[in-house]
Every structure is written in structure tokens, then in C-alpha cells.
Amino acid sequence: MTNPSKPWLKNYPDGVPHDVDITGYSSLLDMFEEAFTRYPNRKACEFLGKFMTYRELERHSKNFAAYLQSLGLEPGARVAIMLPNVVQFQVAMVGVLRAGFVVVNVNPLYTAHELEYQLKDSGASVLVILENFAHVYEQIAKSVPLKKAIVTSIGEMIGLKGAIVNFVVRNVKKAVPAWQLHGHSTFTEALTTGGNYRWTKPNATLESIAFLQYTGGTTGVSKGAILLHRNILSNVIQTELWLEPVLKRKEVGQLVFLCALPLYHIFALTACSVLGMRKGGLLVLVPNPRDFDGFINLLKKHPDINIFPGVNTLFNALIHKPEFLQVKLPNLLATIGGGMAMQKVVADQWQSMTGAPIAEGYGLSETSPVACVNSPLIESFTGNIGLPVPGTEVIILGEDGIEVPFGTPGEICIRGPQVMAGYWNKPEETKNVMTPDGYFKSGDIGIMNNDGYTKIVDRKKDMILVSGFNVYPNEIEDVISLLPGVHECAVVGMPDEDSGEAVKAFIVRSDPNLTEEDIREHCKKEITNYKRPKFIVFREDLPKTNVGKILRRELRGL
């Protein structure tokens, strides 16, 4: 009999177990080695028309691991990876874990200010960075010394074609600002040097830290979610179990995953990078999905794509490109929407054009990320976030911390093997987001019906979601407040057709000569593009409580 406190179980698709079992693995390394042993001759990655096999990925990642081990890093050292979707990301990510160290994923578009915070907070010893962004680290290199910086280029691992790609990127597109880093190594040098050392398999366990995945959290202070090998392994297998019914619908020799979402983002990291290896799949890497002409040309060449994770803004942009009408995806088994709320109009149009419904899911960096998802067997868009995946419990708590009845809004709270171990070096923050019985408090407001389906009705009250990325007003306000001439400011989110939401800043000036352009130029230097205010409004004052706290909610309707 189904447990009445877990109403979702009665609606699980046939064949999907209620729990997840990872007892066959002692760490992620076992899963990687299983893929290398089973699929040595399969193509693991495709990048700009060039392929890397699982055998090559095994060799390169082992050499990279041996190189890192030769640097004399302390056990559990953190290695930051600041790369877009290039082959080197997969090699470095697997290599760091095979060295026994911790991956710190960094958004390549970060400014020097943002990069400095994350490197210092994580205590990273090594940084792997694309040459296009090396000048960003150069600006802070003196204040954040590292044991080693490893610099790579877009085409470094794809042979002769790569040399041509690099020439175009550097000399035609002028996309590599001048930089100089004393004592850096190239990625190739690291692999070659590592090939001369012996790799020692580390004593990684399920309780070892695999990733520090940075998130804004619920307070606006950037925090590293500690994701253990156990967390990622669990979520990969949970996702696999959930996809299994749809994968059985079609005999596929090798699953093809489209990697248009950035691999440093937790959604793509789990649902593409690691799950892809688990399944012996081919990862089709898209370095810049904003280049829609190039992206659509890639899709035309890949009618074999089976798994397509994306966010609402990506699907929306594609369906509004006339060239997308020429794209045929007859082998598409699962389109998974996450990262931000899916819009029904977008999902319906996507389904009419591709024949595949979008199965919306829900998760957070703190949950590795998948907590709930619709079955890929759905016939049309549902408007909810589906059911908790195997081994996961979701409850809806009221303001008093007591579970509310079905149909009543409250905070979505999640318990399961994919829930993080805590925030890096922030015990108080960890305590604030965990209930005494082990549920992670998401800060998102949802309603669960008596069939176990949850619908999100509101988000963390102040967070802004721009194209699937969390933007926290505190951070933007802090940056704007540093500009001379700013007396006070408040930041809120506004609905936006292109990105779901956009940042709007309300500013009280102390210098009447301060202009909108001054604000934009300042933000351009300090924060990455998606966090910058799209709208700027100057005001005489800001609404406040009787104790002086600015009332953002009163500004949202202005």
C-alpha cells in the first residue's frame, strides 16, 4: 500500500522504483571507470565537428589528474574551472575528481570582483581558465595567489581545425584581450607533463566532497553548496531511473545529449555531463548557444539528438527563429525544462514544432539539482513541476514550520540523498536552511495536490530569475552603492519577455549630476551581464518600514 504521506508514489510511471540504490559505487570514480571500461571506442564528446572517445577521455583525464597530484596540493584541495562548453571542461572536471580534489565551477563571464570572491571563499589552489578570460584573473592575481593557473584556448584539443579556430577567435573576432600570467601552464602542457607522472587513485568515498557549487542562496550572500560524491551519484541515478520508461520507447545504439546549457551550471553538470557518461552517451557541446545561427546549423546536423535539457528562454528564442522550422529532431526522446519557470505558450509551441512535450522539473544547486520532475511520458505540458524523484521526499511547510494541508501554499522543503552536506564554511547559513529532521528549505512557495504534484506559486520573495540564473538584489545594491553620488538604492525584478525577468534599480542620488550612463558603466565593470540593471529609475526617496528597512515589494509595481 502506498504511504499516504508520499502521495506521489501512486503516480510513478510503471517500472520506476520508489527508492534509489547507489550501493554498487564507492565514489563517482567508480562510475567514470565503468564508462571507460564499457565504452572505450564510443565517442564521448563532439565539439566543433571533432570527436573525443571514452578511451581518449580516460587517458587525458588521468594525465590531468596526475599533473594536479604532482603540484603538491593538500588533500581535498579545490580546483576552480572557469570554462564554457569545450572538451577541456569534461577532461578537467573528471581529472580533478580522479586526482582526489574538489571541483569549483566558475561562471566564465564573471568580472574580476566576482571571481575574486569565489576564489577566496573556496580557497582554490588551481584555476583552469579559457584564454578569453585570462585578463580577468590577471586583474586580481596579486590579491588571490594560486599554486597554478592553467590557461587553455577554444581550439586547443581539436587538432589542426583548432589552430584555425584559435586564429579566428584571436585575430578576426578579437575575442582574446591581452593578458599575462606569470608561471602559467597551457592545458596541453599540463596533460603532457601529467603523462610523465604516475597517477595514484585517491581514496575517495561517498562522503568525500566532489563539488563546491556556488549559489546565491536565500540571503543574497554567495555560498558554496557542498555536494558530496554521494549527492551527485544519487541524483544521476535518480534522473536515469526517471528517464528509463521513455528510453525504452526507442532502440538507440548510443544516447545523444545536447549540451547547450553551460556545464558549470548544476543542471547541465548532472543531466548532461555526468549522466551522459553514466549512459555511455555522446555529449554534443555547444560553446555559445546565443549564436543562434551556429546553434541551429548544429541542430540541423544532429537529427540523432535524444536528450535536450534547456531553459524557457532558450526554447523561446529557438521557436521564434524562422530557420528553426528547418530543424528536424525525429529521435528526440526527452526535452527537459528547468532552471526557471516554463511558460505554457512556449512549451506548447515547442511541442507543435518538434513533436516532443517539455517535461518541466525543479531543483536547486543545493539538491544536485533535480528534486521534482514531470514524467517524460507526459502527452502535453502540465504547468506543474511534477513528482519527487525516487528516494526524495517533498513537504510543504507553513510559516510556523508545520506541514500544511494539500492545496495550501507554503515553503517547498526537500529531503533525499541528493541534498547537500551544507554550505562551505557557513555553519549558520546551513543551520538556517535545514529543518531539524533533515529537510532543505528551498525558500520557494508551492502548492502540492493530493496526488503529489507540486506547482510553484511564488519564488523567494526577493530573488530575480534572469534566463535561469539567480540574481540577488543585495549583491547588485552593494555594487551600485559603491558609486559616488548614490545615496540609496533598491533592486527588484520586473517581468521581461526576453529573459523571464529583468533587473530594475531604483536610486536616490546625493549628486544630482549622476546619470543613468554612469550607473551602467559602473555595473559593467563590477558585475556580469545578466545581473546588470535593464531599467534604472531615479527617485526622491524609497518606501521604508518604521525601522528604516527598504520595502522592495512596494517598488515591484512601479
Side-chain angles (χ1 to χ4, degrees):
M1 182 176 157
T2 303
N3 184 337
S5 67
K6 299 179 183 178
W8 52 86
L9 294 177
K10 66 188 178 195
N11 292 306
Y12 264 29
D14 289 344
V16 176
H18 293 177
D19 285 305
V20 61
D21 179 11
I22 60 168
T23 51
Y25 298 105
S26 61
S27 74
L28 279 166
L29 305 193
D30 292 349
M31 184 179 280
F32 295 153
E33 287 177 8
E34 189 175 73
F36 298 144
T37 303
R38 282 187 181 177
Y39 316 113
N41 299 317
R42 281 192 185 180
K43 295 165 181 172
C45 306
E46 179 189 347
F47 178 64
L48 298 179
K50 296 291 181 179
F51 296 94
M52 176 182 287
T53 65
Y54 276 89
R55 180 178 280 113
E56 290 167 329
L57 178 57
E58 195 280 331
R59 185 178 81 248
H60 290 319
S61 62
K62 183 158 84 172
N63 289 346
F64 192 71
Y67 174 76
L68 292 176
Q69 289 177 337
S70 77
L71 296 177
L73 308 178
E74 78 277 8
R78 275 76 62 205
V79 178
I81 302 178
M82 190 171 174
L83 298 176
N85 289 8
V86 293
V87 172
Q88 295 93 305
F89 180 94
Q90 196 73 351
V91 172
M93 184 272 291
V94 175
V96 171
L97 295 174
R98 294 184 83 194
F101 301 134
V102 177
V103 175
V104 180
N105 283 314
V106 182
N107 185 336
L109 299 179
Y110 268 179
T111 63
H113 169 78
E114 293 163 317
L115 176 60
E116 179 177 13
Y117 173 82
Q118 194 164 324
L119 292 176
K120 282 182 172 174
D121 188 73
S122 64
S125 306
V126 177
L127 172 65
V128 185
I129 190 169
L130 194 71
E131 63 175 5
N132 306 50
F133 315 114
H135 68 286
V136 178
Y137 174 63
E138 183 185 3
Q139 294 170 49
I140 56 164
K142 285 183 179 168
S143 62
V144 193
L146 298 169
K147 288 218 171 172
K148 179 61 71 173
I150 301 166
V151 184
T152 189
S153 60
I154 293 277
E156 188 168 2
M157 293 198 73
I158 54 172
L160 183 59
K161 182 173 185 177
I164 298 166
V165 168
N166 284 342
F167 178 83
V168 171
V169 169
R170 292 166 182 165
N171 302 295
V172 180
K173 295 187 176 178
K174 309 281 188 194
V176 183
W179 60 275
Q180 194 167 12
L181 293 174
H182 179 69
H184 79 277
S185 295
T186 67
F187 202 76
T188 307
E189 286 167 353
L191 296 182
T192 304
T193 304
N196 297 323
Y197 289 103
R198 186 175 170 200
W199 169 66
T200 304
K201 185 175 180 179
N203 295 319
T205 71
L206 292 174
E207 303 308 310
S208 301
I209 301 173
F211 296 89
L212 289 187
Q213 195 69 26
Y214 274 76
T215 172
T218 54
T219 63
V221 181
S222 188
K223 300 181 285 291
I226 302 169
L227 301 180
L228 310 178
H229 283 253
R230 167 172 56 82
N231 299 139
I232 300 292
L233 267 167
S234 297
N235 207 230
V236 165
I237 295 177
Q238 287 168 320
T239 307
E240 177 189 41
L241 293 171
W242 200 249
L243 288 173
E244 205 55 42
V246 81
L247 299 185
K248 288 176 181 170
R249 280 186 167 179
K250 194 165 197 161
E251 192 63 42
V252 176
Q254 181 183 20
L255 283 175
V256 179
F257 292 74
L258 182 75
C259 303
L261 298 178
L263 294 177
Y264 61 79
H265 191 283
I266 188 64
F267 183 19
L269 180 74
T270 298
C272 286
S273 185
V274 187
L275 177 62
M277 287 187 69
R278 159 84 174 164
K279 302 298 287 181
L282 169 64
L283 306 182
V284 178
L285 303 177
V286 183
N288 180 16
R290 292 183 191 85
D291 170 15
F292 284 105
D293 292 338
F295 186 15
I296 288 172
N297 283 334
L298 176 71
L299 291 174
K300 286 178 186 173
K301 292 175 190 168
H302 271 287
D304 54 346
I305 288 166
N306 307 122
I307 311 289
F308 191 144
V311 293
N312 188 79
T313 45
L314 179 67
F315 298 129
N316 191 36
L318 285 173
I319 60 181
H320 285 98
K321 293 284 177 187
E323 301 83 2
F324 188 66
L325 289 168
Q326 299 161 29
V327 172
K328 300 287 180 262
L329 299 171
N331 297 295
L332 193 54
L333 294 173
T335 307
I336 307 164
M340 63 187 299
M342 279 300 312
Q343 295 170 329
K344 178 173 167 52
V345 64
V346 174
D348 289 348
Q349 196 166 346
W350 175 268
Q351 183 168 356
S352 73
M353 294 177 81
T354 66
I358 294 178
E360 186 174 9
Y362 169 75
L364 310 99
S365 297
E366 292 93 338
T367 58
S368 304
V370 185
C372 296
V373 68
N374 278 274
S375 165
L377 298 174
I378 55 169
E379 293 181 3
S380 61
F381 182 66
T382 69
N384 60 54
I385 56 169
L387 304 170
V389 292
T392 305
E393 297 169 86
V394 171
I395 56 174
I396 311 293
L397 296 183
E399 291 281 343
D400 53 5
I402 297 171
E403 197 169 349
V404 299
F406 291 128
T408 306
E411 185 172 12
I412 299 170
C413 300
I414 303 144
R415 184 167 69 181
Q418 73 272 51
V419 173
M420 67 169 183
Y423 291 120
W424 180 252
N425 289 337
K426 289 184 170 59
E428 277 304 307
E429 296 281 5
T430 302
K431 192 175 164 190
N432 289 341
V433 298
M434 299 302 296
T435 68
D437 50 353
Y439 282 88
F440 168 71
K441 298 191 284 187
S442 72
D444 293 324
I445 306 304
I447 295 173
M448 182 185 286
N449 68 20
N450 55 12
D451 284 324
Y453 289 92
T454 298
K455 184 177 178 65
I456 293 180
V457 293
D458 201 357
R459 282 190 303 277
K460 302 178 181 100
K461 57 182 179 288
D462 290 328
M463 188 184 79
I464 306 164
L465 205 61
V466 180
S467 296
F469 289 95
N470 295 353
V471 177
Y472 292 87
N474 290 355
E475 180 188 8
I476 316 306
E477 290 165 1
D478 288 348
V479 166
I480 293 173
S481 297
L482 292 172
L483 186 63
V486 173
H487 172 58
E488 283 182 329
C489 69
V491 165
V492 299
M494 299 294 290
D496 185 79
E497 281 187 13
D498 295 328
S499 56
E501 284 188 307
V503 176
K504 186 170 186 176
F506 294 89
I507 296 166
V508 178
R509 291 178 282 201
S510 57
D511 177 359
N513 296 315
L514 186 71
T515 66
E516 187 173 318
E517 187 57 31
D518 294 335
I519 306 287
R520 295 195 186 283
E521 280 302 309
H522 173 68
C523 290
K524 196 173 179 181
K525 289 178 193 162
E526 295 297 329
I527 46 179
T528 197
N529 184 40
Y530 68 85
K531 296 181 183 177
R532 295 173 199 152
K534 186 170 182 177
F535 308 102
I536 294 172
V537 177
F538 292 108
R539 287 174 56 98
E540 291 299 313
D541 57 21
L542 296 173
K544 295 179 181 140
T545 66
N546 57 2
V547 293
K549 187 176 179 182
I550 293 171
L551 290 166
R552 291 193 187 116
R553 66 174 179 269
E554 290 191 16
L555 294 169
R556 288 196 185 96
L558 300 177

